[in-house]
Amino acid sequence: DTGVSQDPRHKITKRGQNVTFRCDPISEHNRLYWYRQTLGQGPEFLTYFQNEAQLEKSRLLSDRFSAERPKGSFSTLEIQRTEQGDSAMYLCASSSNRGLGETQYFGPGTRLLVL
Amino acid sequence: RKEVEQDPGPFNVPEGATVAFNCTYSNSASQSFFWYRQDCRKEPKLLMSVYSSGNEDGRFTAQLNRASQYISLLIRDSKLSDSATYLCVVIRYSGGSYIPTFGRGTSLIVHP
């Protein structure tokens, strides 16, 4: 399967714990995006990378959220000191840099439940 | 006002019906537009891009109205398998960054 993959697919954690999610984009894609989606809402853009550079991070929900893409391939999203309100689906998408008319391909998501 | 707005529905239509969804956006600097389909508890999948001249893919037609700042999706001859949530996404550049904004989605239910 050469699509976007995410790991883990499900995560249950206790409030206050740190969690880290991984995203592996489609291999030839240089852009990678993170979104959060809650029930009944569309995906909410959090941040994106072009290669290893994080070009937009102002949409990260708080300073508890951080993302990295150290080698321009896979990316990680970390949430520190989780809160119950962080419970959501976290989606990753990738695309190639072909100007504005690019298509994002989504991974299956990581469903987070904070108890 | 939200940057991208969609009627959440649900739109409940019989098989064979024609149904249309709109998505309005508030930022006139928006430059790229897409429709995605999302099945329950699955990831969004691209349905089609939306071009200024309008575009068609089988039973699906997408149009862009820049003057009124909305995009539309028309589905003809609805199938049961079209039941899903349809998400619009609007993309703009801001300060050298690329900002995609999704609508909340419109739910479509096609019944026999």
Side-chain angles (χ1 to χ4, degrees), chain A residues 74-88:
Chain A
F74 74 91
S75 176
T76 57
L77 177 71
E78 181 182 18
I79 309 174
Q80 296 182 328
R81 306 181 302 281
T82 52
E83 301 173 357
Q84 289 184 324
D86 297 333
S87 296

Side-chain angles (χ1 to χ4, degrees), chain A residues 23-38:
Chain A
C23 172
D24 286 88
I26 292 171
S27 59
E28 61 267 28
H29 285 180
N30 61 345
R31 284 188 175 168
L32 186 150
Y33 315 81
W34 284 100
Y35 294 86
R36 181 179 79 163
Q37 187 173 25
T38 53

Side-chain angles (χ1 to χ4, degrees), chain B residues 20-34:
Chain B
F21 310 134
N22 280 346
C23 169
T24 59
Y25 60 95
S26 60
N27 195 316
S28 59
S30 300
Q31 294 170 290
S32 295
F33 310 87
F34 301 86

Side-chain angles (χ1 to χ4, degrees), chain A residues 37 48 55 100 102 104 107, chain B residues 32 34 36 38 43 93 97:
Chain A
Q37 187 173 25
Y48 91 102
L55 298 187
L100 293 174
E102 60 185 73
Q104 295 185 38
Chain B
S32 295
F34 301 86
Y36 278 74
Q38 187 171 29
E43 72 273 21
Y93 274 108
S97 296

Side-chain angles (χ1 to χ4, degrees), chain A residues 51-111:
Chain A
N51 300 311
E52 65 276 8
Q54 190 173 12
L55 298 187
E56 174 60 48
K57 55 182 178 180
S58 66
R59 305 302 177 101
L60 286 168
L61 300 164
S62 77
D63 58 6
R64 298 184 297 106
F65 287 73
S66 63
E68 293 184 342
R69 195 183 184 197
K71 297 182 179 179
S73 56
F74 74 91
S75 176
T76 57
L77 177 71
E78 181 182 18
I79 309 174
Q80 296 182 328
R81 306 181 302 281
T82 52
E83 301 173 357
Q84 289 184 324
D86 297 333
S87 296
M89 172 76 89
Y90 289 85
L91 292 162
C92 173
S94 71
S95 69
S96 64
N97 182 12
R98 293 177 184 171
L100 293 174
E102 60 185 73
T103 299
Q104 295 185 38
Y105 295 87
F106 282 84
T110 295
R111 192 171 296 276

